Amino acid sequence: MILSVAICTAHLLAVAPTTYPSTPRGDVVDTWHGTEVADPYRWLEGDVREHDDVSNWVDAQNEVSLGHLHAIPEREAIRNRLETLWNYEKTSSPIKVGGRYYFTHNDGLQNQAVWMVADSLDAKPTVLMDPNTWSEDGTVAISGSSFSRDGRFLAYAISEGGSDWKTWRIRDLNSNTDLPDTIEWSKFSGASWMPDGSGFYYSRYDKPEAGSALQAANENQSLWFHRTNTPQSEDVLVHKDAEHPHWGWSAALSNDGRWLVVHVWKGGDKNQVMVQDLAQAGGGLEPLITTFDAEWSFVGSHGNTLFFRTSDDAPLGRLVSIDFSRPSKSRNWTEILPESKDTLRAVSHVGGKLAATWMHDATSKVSLHEMSGRHIRDIALPGVGTSAGLSGWPDNSEVFYTYTSFTTPTQIYRHDLKTEDTSMWHDTKVDFDPSRFTVKQVFFESADGTLVPMTIAHRNDLERNGALPTLLYGYGGFNVSLMPYFSASRLAWMEMGGVFAIANLRGGGEYGKTWHEAGTKLDKQNVFDDFIGAAEWLIRNGYTNPSRLAIQGGSNGGLLVGAVMSQRPELFGAALPAVGVLDMTRYAQFTIAWIPDYGDPEVPEEFAALFAYSPYHNLTRGMTYPATLITTADTDDRVVPGHSFKFAAALQHAQSDAADAPLVLLRVDRKAGHGAGKPTSMRLDEAADVWAFLVDSLGREGFVDLPQAVQ
């Protein structure tokens, strides 16, 4: 159990522009399993949009941070170059519904992508929806979408300020007008339509208490059915489970509308499954998978047979099916695609075929199979990169997929499943020369001897001199795989002469279930050891040295950066923890509880592991830490900004008092969230501030081609 001691009242003082804002320290001490845990900045957990003392402190921090960042001579020129690189057309893969094609398009610098519709792939598209007209600052975004199979309706979700909360609306695609339906307080949910457009399944929470929407723990999600052209008050409750408040329900319908498949989740990648045969009158959801031992992902159905991608008995993944025409006691799983030496990342049921995307050393491979699993052919990709999408319908003969790499902007391909012809539908044009850059993959040993892959990209005219400004990026969690993709922001970094490295740490999904679990709970330190090993390899192999090495990560990657910089502060010249989980003793008390990956502080041995690396609690007063730019946003209800606020205050307090001690800055976006839906203008400003901070912190002399400072 946890015991709390009262907090002192905070009072903010005016500060000079060249000093950090005054941050009062409280006397809160919690006792966890006999261990006293001081939390002097508990008051900074208050919702910045509800508490004036926290809001004033954030404003004071922003004044100091932005004042410093915007005074960096190269900052404006970096911002200009970023805008030039960013100003290219961005298009999504089309989806064909009701005889028309729908896709999103951004002409370059629009804050939000515009939804388009065309009668054919060659026809001139027209605007379906333009979210840029919904707010002056671009902070209202579409955060989810689902087309009814008959092409009549589009359910789309609106989020404001980057929040995970969604408000669902329904657009009549024939008249291009919205129905009166409004569905509120939905989160972590899609919309699964009945094929005839009569309604859809979705998940939501009870309306939160006033002022608590962005911080309160998300508990007791429930599954509902909404009938088109009716108010939300008439929605039908499908499922809830008061005994398991942290469980969630994600519904998927088979394309024929017969099978309702519900994935039961609780904050990790492993899930249970429930199934209902909607053709059976009076039936209900029945349990199919009843443990949280593996990942199960519904792929589609063929008559009475349902297909699932799973890690059950296959750490790298396999595809299995189950025949529901048999009595429940005689049902057996049939293996369709067996486990391979590569990780099975996704499977789609398209054109009567199975399209599989595999991952080989963090790069993509694609193959087509009969429904029986028989291999038909591989789809050749343009190079070593990442493919995604393979979007289409089971009765459609065409499939679309994307390809990208560190030096290849997104390309969109159409593949004809009958003729086997592949053609490029969209080729993204960006004003840069890819031949100027080199990309290679290396493997290094972590502390326990595990081989870990890392990809390194930079200008090909750079020579390893042991002093190149280098940015090492990582994540290492939640079965997430870091694969190659094009980034205009990272391109700007490399143009200046910076080296970019990305490490595929344990905790991710690059090598399946075993790789993921090796970086969770009591083994989370493996992730940090891997990241440290990547840094030491870059130094040992002549790329850089500690004064020129920066580390970056967001969300779980923000935790990674915070933990590693507290464990090995002498190894880095700069640190960029973004929207990070940084107080590991209290993370489960806000919005989402990620206990399956991190562990439960209420369990003594798991608390001990969490407390041992918790970034907020492992800073030492008087230590010299690397120059640090902490970034977050006031509407982040995925990882509440209090994590970053408390860490910034603790780091500013702990940093050495030496006159030349590296800076610790906190940058907080207003009307923004965890990252999704952030307008282009905000992304450009943040990227410019980050690169300018690294130029200033790592030393200008290390860069070979800095943008000229604007006079």
Side-chain angles (χ1 to χ4, degrees), residues 350-433:
V350 292
K353 305 288 191 297
L354 295 170
T357 302
W358 310 82
M359 184 166 43
H360 176 78
D361 289 339
T363 61
S364 290
K365 295 168 59 178
V366 179
S367 59
L368 291 176
H369 305 260
E370 300 287 2
M371 297 301 294
S372 64
R374 185 183 70 83
H375 180 266
I376 302 173
R377 61 184 173 273
D378 294 334
I379 295 179
L381 299 177
V384 178
T386 302
S387 179
L390 293 170
S391 59
W393 300 97
D395 57 356
N396 199 321
S397 63
E398 65 182 356
V399 60
F400 293 90
Y401 63 92
T402 62
Y403 171 80
T404 184
S405 73
F406 288 120
T407 56
T408 307
T410 300
Q411 299 170 339
I412 303 175
Y413 291 88
R414 176 188 180 273
H415 183 81
D416 191 308
L417 294 166
K418 291 182 178 179
T419 66
E420 302 186 16
D421 291 336
T422 298
S423 59
M424 185 183 294
W425 181 71
H426 177 76
D427 186 16
T428 305
K429 302 295 185 182
V430 180
D431 184 20
F432 85 110
D433 179 3

Side-chain angles (χ1 to χ4, degrees), residues 443-454 472-477 502-508 510-511 514-516 518-520 523-538 540 551 560 564 567-568 571-572:
F443 289 81
F444 64 89
E445 283 194 8
S446 189
D448 62 357
T450 299
L451 282 179
V452 180
M454 175 168 59
L472 174 61
Y473 183 89
Y475 187 79
I502 186 167
N504 298 104
L505 315 172
R506 280 175 286 183
E510 288 84 353
Y511 297 107
T514 303
W515 189 259
H516 169 220
T520 63
D523 292 322
K524 186 68 175 175
Q525 182 61 40
N526 285 336
V527 184
F528 312 139
D529 290 343
D530 290 355
F531 205 48
I532 290 168
E536 292 176 332
W537 189 96
L538 290 166
R540 188 168 61 250
I551 49 175
L560 168 70
V564 168
Q567 292 180 13
R568 293 291 303 277
L571 193 57
F572 313 107

